[in-house]
Amino acid sequence: MEIQEVVDAVNGKLVGNDEFFSIDGFTGNFTFLNDSHTGDIVIRHWINDIGIEMAFNKNIACLITQNPKDGAIEMAEKLNFPLIITDSIELANAFALSYTVEKFSPNSTNIVITGTNGKSTTSHLIYHILKTAGFNVFTNTDSESEFNTLIDPMVSKLIVDEVNTNGELDYLVIEVSEVQGWLGKLMKNHAALMCEALNPEVGVITNIAMDHIGLVNTIDDVFEEISAVPNAIGDGICVLNHDDNLVMKLDVKNPFYTSMSELDKLNSVYYNGNEIVYQSDVFLKRQDLPFTGNHFIQNILSAIGACISLGLDKENIIEGVKSYKALNRRFAKLNDQPLIYDDFAHNPDGIKATISETIKLLPENQTLYVVCSIRGSRGVEINQLNVEAIVESMDDNIELILSSSNDVVNDLNFVEPEEKKVFFDTLNENNVDFIHYDNLNECLSETYKKADKNDIILLIGAQGMDPAESLLKDII
């Protein structure tokens, strides 16, 4: 590959050297600057003159960026180092993904999963089913869901590492954010770009709901982003949540439907309250499922739908589902008396679904303590929607406890005064009593002291609640 092919692929402008800097050209690896070696291509959102000097000294093939600053262009010209500047860094990462799959995993069957909620569980469950069936599989959804961003070359790098370590892949299972951005700016058509780069045989769209406020501001914005995905999936089978009205408005060429109620369609799998059924054939009974909350059963249906669409043997699907262990912070049980559940619920739909499922488990005349971390540095809008979801979920058996988690979050996740204020104001306006703690450790400790052994404590929230499990080990 010549450097001009890279320039054209990312709609870029080349400064400095007009050839790859490495004497041997491009190795085929896209990576980060700190991890780069001779002949690699580095993708960075921004670069300065010091970064250009580092790239020069590492003898990489070239560097792609969206934001050259602090003398980066001048340094590239001085060192005669090839610097590609693009207006859309997502084009660079889509190109990196496409190139990596074609070069390192050309024979794999690829599956893509997107949507607002349930992506990580669905992706990891598909991965587990395929792995249990004996296939060599890669997924970017790990046990803590840290590698699924796709706004950097991490996934491309990990695919190369996986192939080099474990050999040729049978399947790629890639989670793609339905909405993505950088520095508060929407990366238009991110999900579609990444789907197209993978050329998937099966795509899954879990649901369409609000999240990522600021990047998108209305549900119509979210729909617009996801609406381009079916076309990117092309002739592949698209697994759709039949219970989601917006998902059902998508224009899909080869649909396969999932539902929490009976469907009279051949190309569907559904749950009837007791069993998962496909074409009148019972796949699994409720007691065989690894978790029985409705939103998790929806994820199971999506994973089964994807595996059916792949032509996987029924017994392999059943074995995979039965043996599945949930991802970190996906309604994980942390204690028995009192019951403590920890869930990543961090947007309105996730919050309402998780509280609704938990209240069903509460014994009569007992208390559900909902312990919620306020989303820090995510803006007033998403926190407004989250607190409204909590208000909607409240009943007489719930006590609400809030944490700003100042003791465990970094500057990127610190709760701003206006974010805390919108929580307080909305709760007060709706006459919802609550207790607030600045620090998560005190919040968890005091809640645990209050709870009866037959009560339930539900921990919800994103980064501010992530350390809860480790803190509880010293409290309980």
Side-chain angles (χ1 to χ4, degrees):
M1 182 171 65
E2 302 295 327
I3 195 169
Q4 191 58 45
E5 294 178 61
V6 182
V7 175
D8 293 341
V10 303
N11 292 340
K13 173 187 174 185
L14 180 63
V15 299
N17 202 332
D18 61 0
E19 295 181 352
F20 285 129
F21 191 66
S22 168
I23 191 169
D24 294 323
F26 173 41
T27 59
N29 297 331
F30 292 87
T31 188
F32 301 91
L33 186 55
N34 288 341
D35 293 331
S36 62
H37 299 283
T38 297
D40 293 345
I41 290 180
V42 167
I43 301 175
R44 281 184 61 94
H45 297 97
W46 64 270
I47 196 75
N48 59 16
D49 55 347
I50 296 173
I52 295 296
E53 281 194 274
M54 287 179 61
F56 173 86
N57 291 327
K58 282 176 168 283
N59 199 35
I60 67 172
C62 68
L63 190 146
I64 308 172
T65 190
Q66 185 171 325
N67 291 274
K69 57 184 183 178
D70 300 332
I73 293 175
E74 292 78 6
M75 183 60 72
E77 291 173 338
K78 175 183 174 181
L79 298 175
N80 197 30
F81 177 82
L83 175 65
I84 301 174
I85 304 166
T86 176
D87 289 332
S88 302
I89 199 69
E90 59 268 36
L91 291 179
N93 287 300
F95 174 68
L97 186 60
S98 175
Y99 182 92
T100 298
V101 171
E102 186 176 338
K103 179 177 174 64
F104 291 91
S105 193
N107 299 315
S108 62
T109 298
N110 305 330
I111 305 100
V112 66
I113 301 91
T114 193
T116 307
N117 294 304
K119 296 185 297 293
S120 294
T121 298
T122 302
S123 301
H124 200 254
L125 182 49
I126 294 169
Y127 165 82
H128 177 77
I129 293 169
L130 292 169
K131 196 78 174 174
T132 302
F135 295 105
N136 194 8
V137 193
F138 169 84
T139 184
N140 60 324
T141 300
D142 75 338
S143 61
E144 296 183 353
S145 190
E146 292 293 331
F147 297 140
N148 57 22
T149 150
L150 284 174
I151 57 170
D152 55 38
M154 174 61 86
V155 174
S156 297
K157 178 183 183 301
L158 290 173
I159 291 172
V160 174
D161 291 345
E162 179 71 22
V163 172
N164 287 339
T165 302
N166 295 317
E168 185 174 348
L169 291 166
D170 299 307
Y171 291 94
L172 281 172
V173 181
I174 303 297
E175 174 185 348
V176 172
S177 179
E178 82 288 5
V179 172
Q180 192 57 271
W182 181 59
L183 294 180
K185 183 181 178 182
L186 177 68
M187 289 179 167
K188 191 72 175 171
N189 286 331
H190 168 83
L193 281 170
M194 297 306 167
C195 290
E196 189 173 16
L198 286 162
N199 188 27
E201 182 168 315
V202 174
V204 178
I205 300 176
T206 59
N207 73 325
I208 299 176
M210 285 300 296
D211 199 355
H212 307 288
I213 303 296
L215 297 177
V216 289
N217 296 304
T218 69
I219 194 67
D220 290 337
D221 293 339
V222 185
F223 181 81
E224 183 178 349
E225 284 299 296
I226 296 181
S227 65
V229 169
N231 188 55
I233 292 172
D235 292 331
I237 296 172
C238 201
V239 179
L240 304 174
N241 179 357
H242 193 275
D243 302 333
D244 188 295
N245 292 332
L246 287 175
V247 169
M248 292 306 295
K249 290 182 179 180
L250 296 172
D251 184 13
V252 176
K253 188 174 181 180
N254 294 310
F256 184 101
Y257 301 104
T258 68
S259 179
M260 293 294 289
S261 56
E262 187 171 345
L263 282 180
D264 186 21
K265 295 178 182 290
L266 287 176
N267 56 335
S268 68
V269 60
Y270 63 84
Y271 179 67
N272 62 15
N274 295 303
E275 301 162 329
I276 290 177
V277 180
Y278 171 63
Q279 293 186 351
S280 302
D281 188 10
V282 175
F283 256 60
L284 289 150
K285 296 182 181 296
R286 181 181 176 87
Q287 60 265 30
D288 295 325
L289 302 181
F291 27 62
T292 54
N294 284 349
H295 56 308
F296 286 120
I297 294 177
Q298 287 176 331
N299 301 155
I300 293 172
L301 290 172
S302 293
I304 290 175
C307 291
I308 290 172
S309 300
L310 292 169
L312 204 65
D313 182 75
K314 174 185 175 181
E315 295 306 316
N316 286 331
I317 298 174
I318 292 172
E319 182 183 356
V321 173
K322 282 185 173 181
S323 62
Y324 181 68
K325 304 297 182 185
L327 280 169
N328 187 42
R329 299 207 60 217
R330 267 59 178 189
F331 209 66
K333 186 168 77 169
L334 305 184
N335 195 59
D336 285 312
Q337 289 187 329
L339 273 172
I340 301 178
Y341 289 104
D342 184 20
D343 194 87
F344 189 63
H346 64 290
N347 59 36
D349 281 15
I351 288 169
K352 287 186 285 188
T354 303
I355 294 176
S356 173
E357 292 301 325
T358 309
I359 200 75
K360 295 175 184 177
L361 305 175
L362 189 68
E364 189 174 355
N365 300 320
Q366 296 300 133
T367 300
L368 170 61
Y369 293 91
V370 174
V371 184
C372 175
S373 63
I374 301 171
R375 293 197 72 175
S377 300
R378 296 304 189 276
V380 169
E381 292 85 356
I382 185 61
N383 280 294
Q384 176 76 62
L385 292 173
N386 282 352
V387 70
E388 288 173 355
I390 291 173
V391 169
E392 186 179 332
S393 302
M394 293 296 292
D395 76 9
D396 293 339
N397 297 309
I398 294 177
E399 286 195 24
L400 177 62
I401 301 168
L402 304 177
S403 174
S404 292
S405 303
N406 293 342
D407 54 335
V408 295
V409 297
N410 57 24
D411 292 343
L412 297 176
N413 297 294
F414 189 80
V415 176
E416 302 293 341
E418 60 271 20
E419 294 172 326
K420 185 163 61 174
K421 183 177 185 298
V422 75
F423 251 82
F424 291 4
D425 288 351
T426 303
L427 292 171
N428 288 329
E429 288 166 6
N430 287 275
N431 299 313
V432 175
D433 294 330
F434 65 94
I435 301 172
H436 172 263
Y437 295 93
D438 287 325
N439 295 327
L440 182 62
N441 191 65
E442 183 183 8
C443 174
L444 297 173
S445 179
E446 292 302 313
T447 304
Y448 182 73
K449 289 177 186 177
K450 287 184 66 174
D452 180 83
K453 67 177 184 179
N454 295 317
D455 291 335
I456 298 178
I457 299 173
L458 173 64
L459 311 178
I460 58 174
Q463 290 76 16
M465 196 58 72
D466 280 346
E469 183 176 5
S470 60
L471 291 176
L472 282 169
K473 289 177 181 177
D474 294 325
I475 293 171
I476 297 175

